[in-house]
Amino acid sequence: NAGVTQTPKFQVLKTGQSMTLQCAQDMNHEYMSWYRQDPGMGLRLIHYSVGAGITDQGEVPNGYNVSRSTTEDFPLRLLSAAPSQTSVYFCASSYSTRGNTEAFFGQGTRLTVV
Amino acid sequence: AQSVTQLDSQVPVFEEAPVELRCNYSSSVSVYLFWYVQYPNQGLQLLLKYLSGSTLVKGINGFEAEFNKSQTSFHLRKPSVHISDTAEYFCAVSEGPGGSNYKLTFGKGTLLTVNP
């Protein structure tokens, strides 16, 4: 059981380039989320999804797009990378069973924009 | 809106000493509270969670936390730490009931360094 898988683990982009961070989960979780982690800032929510075809913005959505065509996958797209998007990105998945709630995190993608 | 304050950004301790990592939260509704641990260059792992019931919650690796509603706190404790506990610890909150665990609000983290 792989859990939450993120690819790539590391990426260097030039300013203005686009790329997609991949996230896949094999636990049949209905909820998926993207966070970014910056030094001294903790983790901040970028976008989230409560099911296939349903997405919404989190605290810091600007510069990022998401879509959820399947339960398993939740890619994060950077349309035109900026140095301010240099960060570590984490994908998480979870489920809604009341009384037993936990988010499972991937290993992260470290992105550097130069 | 909910928020989380971790009162110490760094906590150095000696091996086998007790430790307390402090967390305060604010929310206008009932909450679910979590502590996560992040070892270097890894993802986040759940240490423990408070959903309801007993205010003293026990987690993995000998950690425990106490939910105090009147003080809006959820401090993490361990009576005797090991070198392997060196990591960054994050307190997080989601609005309950139902959890909304896809919308966690995190504190800024506390780096626990255990010295020999």
Side-chain angles (χ1 to χ4, degrees), chain A residues 13-59:
Chain A
L13 285 180
K14 294 182 178 179
T15 297
Q17 287 185 316
S18 63
M19 79 159 294
T20 299
L21 280 63
Q22 301 292 345
C23 175
Q25 53 95 4
D26 61 0
M27 298 174 281
N28 200 33
H29 286 170
E30 57 201 284
Y31 301 152
M32 297 185 75
S33 309
W34 276 103
Y35 296 85
R36 60 177 287 172
Q37 181 181 24
D38 302 293
M41 298 293 292
L43 282 79
R44 293 178 292 170
L45 182 65
I46 304 172
H47 285 285
Y48 64 94
S49 169
V50 298
I54 306 170
T55 64
D56 205 347
Q57 296 180 351
E59 179 186 355

Side-chain angles (χ1 to χ4, degrees), chain A residues 33 35 37 94 99-101, chain B residues 38 49 51 101-102 104 108:
Chain A
S33 309
Y35 296 85
Q37 181 181 24
S94 56
N100 186 16
T101 178
Chain B
Q38 184 181 35
K49 59 189 176 187
L51 306 180
N101 51 49
Y102 50 84
L104 292 170
K108 294 184 177 181

Side-chain angles (χ1 to χ4, degrees), chain A residues 1-6 23-35 43 72 74 89-97 100-108, chain B residues 34 36-37 43-47 49 101-104 106:
Chain A
N1 193 339
V4 180
T5 302
Q6 291 184 236
C23 175
Q25 53 95 4
D26 61 0
M27 298 174 281
N28 200 33
H29 286 170
E30 57 201 284
Y31 301 152
M32 297 185 75
S33 309
W34 276 103
Y35 296 85
L43 282 79
E72 294 78 19
F74 190 43
Y89 292 84
F90 287 99
C91 179
S93 74
S94 56
Y95 57 96
S96 65
T97 301
N100 186 16
T101 178
E102 176 182 346
F104 295 83
F105 286 81
Q107 293 296 298
Chain B
F34 307 84
Y36 282 87
V37 59
L44 277 73
Q45 179 183 4
L46 182 69
L47 271 179
K49 59 189 176 187
N101 51 49
Y102 50 84
K103 292 177 68 177
L104 292 170
F106 284 87

Side-chain angles (χ1 to χ4, degrees), chain A residues 49-81:
Chain A
S49 169
V50 298
I54 306 170
T55 64
D56 205 347
Q57 296 180 351
E59 179 186 355
V60 287
N62 292 341
Y64 307 96
N65 279 351
V66 293
S67 60
R68 184 103 177 267
S69 57
T70 66
T71 299
E72 294 78 19
D73 300 299
F74 190 43
L76 179 71
R77 298 183 184 84
L78 283 70
L79 301 178
S80 178

Side-chain angles (χ1 to χ4, degrees), chain B residues 13-29:
Chain B
V13 295
F14 289 108
E15 193 173 18
E16 298 183 5
V19 70
E20 178 180 80
L21 306 184
R22 298 179 293 168
C23 173
N24 286 96
Y25 69 92
S26 67
S27 176
S28 58
V29 298

